[in-house]
Amino acid sequence: MKSCREKLRGILRYERLYGPWRIFLPSRSRTRFANLPFENFDGIISGSDSGLPLHSAAALQHIPVALIDYGEWNPPFQNMIQVRCNNEEIGEMGAEYLLELGMKHFAFVEQTFEVNWSVIRRLAFEKRIAREGLDCSVFSRYSASGRDSREDTESLKRWLQKLPRPTGIMTANDTRAVQVLYACHEAGLEVPQEIALLGVDDDEMLCQMCDPSLSSLLLDCEYGGFLAAEWLDKRMRGKSPPPETPTYQTLRVCERRSTSIHYKLDPFIVEVKEFIEENAWQGISVADVVAHSHASRSTLERAFRQAYHCTLLEKIQRVRFERVCRFLLETDLTVAEIASLCGFRSVSALSFQFKKRFGKTTGEFRKNRR
């Protein structure tokens, strides 16, 4: 699973920087977790699906443990710390993306078994959709085994066939999205013409194998692993746990064919959106967009808001900050160079707006993610 591999990569990156550690990676097929010699470990990092018997292992009460995306609300022992992805952000970002596609109908498909992170993503998705005065349909039929089944697929098909057309659907993760995609095929529903489908995790191999290829939200799982290793290291050195649960973020939407439905919109408005995406980093203003469109500002603002559920200024800023974040993460450019390349008048303007938008400075953002 991609998210697990990325988290492990983050753990190993921390170890290379601040180790050395002697790391033991148990294999489920060969090791019974109940028989592990916990007393020989200085610390443990456990994922939500690792099978580690947290409630039954009394030895864990005395060993620092870092949990990544643990399924329960609270860890069983006080010495345990949690690192989570920002599930509220995931749900809201998925809703924002589908709203920008111009969708009018929305739905969310939860995981096959009831877990907190799926519920949180769904609630945040519903909340963002509701802010636009729109409704959201939910599929949350849980199977006893927690796995996909023929019965689950049949229920999905019946539910999908009742949805209005077109509907934008977000799923709890990519695996669930693939199940929805197969159900759409069996139900005779066209993707993306009738169902625009968005997953979470951006498991690239899985997404590319789908027909059509699957759009997905890319999470910063590597940083999640890095955070878990960092806080475990602090706890092993006797430092206090973090005052708040450390979280890692969503990086961006990786757009593929399962959401390619722009042709449903007015070509004039689509062209305005493309103009913004191609030129926002050059420092254009709303006035420049209006001049390019040859329409009145009030008419353009109203049509754009109706199509994409955001204002022209919000779209310009979103494109600029996506470019800023990519430069911070993927290059060694200075903040002054990034400000110039992304359409900001000055370093101070970028720094002020970045801190206001993300709650941290550009330096903090770059240091944490790298």
Side-chain angles (χ1 to χ4, degrees), residues 1-7 48-49 69 85 87 90 111 117 121 170-177 198-207 214-222 248-254 256:
M1 188 174 181
K2 178 191 175 184
S3 61
C4 295
R5 295 193 301 271
E6 291 295 312
K7 291 169 186 175
S48 60
D49 58 350
D69 295 321
C85 59
N87 288 301
I90 292 171
Q111 184 59 299
W117 55 263
R121 292 175 187 183
M170 180 178 178
T171 62
N173 56 17
D174 287 342
T175 303
R176 196 60 166 141
L198 176 68
V200 180
D201 284 336
D202 193 46
D203 189 330
E204 188 169 1
M205 183 175 295
L206 186 62
C207 292
L214 178 65
S215 296
S216 184
L217 289 168
L218 174 63
L219 311 184
D220 199 355
C221 293
E222 182 176 339
Y248 60 95
Q249 310 301 314
T250 309
L251 295 176
R252 61 182 178 273
V253 176
C254 295
R256 299 185 181 90

Side-chain angles (χ1 to χ4, degrees), residues 211-264:
D211 183 23
S213 55
L214 178 65
S215 296
S216 184
L217 289 168
L218 174 63
L219 311 184
D220 199 355
C221 293
E222 182 176 339
Y223 182 55
F226 188 92
L227 269 178
E230 179 183 36
W231 278 106
L232 179 68
D233 192 13
K234 291 179 179 180
R235 294 294 287 144
M236 290 191 298
R237 296 172 186 272
K239 296 185 179 180
S240 300
E244 298 180 354
T245 301
T247 59
Y248 60 95
Q249 310 301 314
T250 309
L251 295 176
R252 61 182 178 273
V253 176
C254 295
E255 189 174 38
R256 299 185 181 90
R257 288 173 52 217
S258 71
T259 56
S260 300
I261 58 170
H262 295 287
Y263 68 89
K264 293 281 186 182

Side-chain angles (χ1 to χ4, degrees), residues 48 69-73 84-92 107-127 136-143 146 170-177 179-180 198-201 217 219:
S48 60
D69 295 321
Y70 183 55
E72 302 293 335
W73 290 109
R84 293 185 183 276
C85 59
N86 190 334
N87 288 301
E88 292 88 351
E89 179 187 62
I90 292 171
E92 182 161 345
F108 191 97
V109 178
E110 290 197 17
Q111 184 59 299
T112 51
F113 50 96
E114 188 172 12
V115 284
N116 293 330
W117 55 263
S118 177
V119 173
I120 295 171
R121 292 175 187 183
R122 187 256 300 169
L123 290 174
F125 182 86
E126 288 182 300
K127 184 178 180 180
C136 175
S137 179
V138 176
F139 184 85
S140 56
R141 183 183 182 279
Y142 307 118
S143 66
M170 180 178 178
T171 62
N173 56 17
D174 287 342
T175 303
R176 196 60 166 141
Q179 295 163 2
V180 173
L198 176 68
V200 180
D201 284 336
L217 289 168
L219 311 184

Side-chain angles (χ1 to χ4, degrees), residues 131-150:
R131 291 215 308 263
E132 300 298 329
L134 301 169
D135 295 324
C136 175
S137 179
V138 176
F139 184 85
S140 56
R141 183 183 182 279
Y142 307 118
S143 66
S145 64
R147 298 178 181 274
D148 182 29
S149 64
R150 187 68 233 169

Side-chain angles (χ1 to χ4, degrees), residues 97 100-102 255 262 265 267-279 289 300 304 308 310 312 315 319:
Y97 173 71
E100 279 199 15
L101 292 180
E255 189 174 38
H262 295 287
L265 299 172
F268 166 69
I269 295 300
V270 173
E271 196 278 332
V272 170
K273 177 175 178 285
E274 291 174 348
F275 175 78
I276 292 175
E277 291 174 339
E278 293 170 3
N279 297 279
V289 179
L300 183 59
F304 194 86
Y308 295 114
C310 65
L312 295 170
K315 181 61 180 176
V319 173

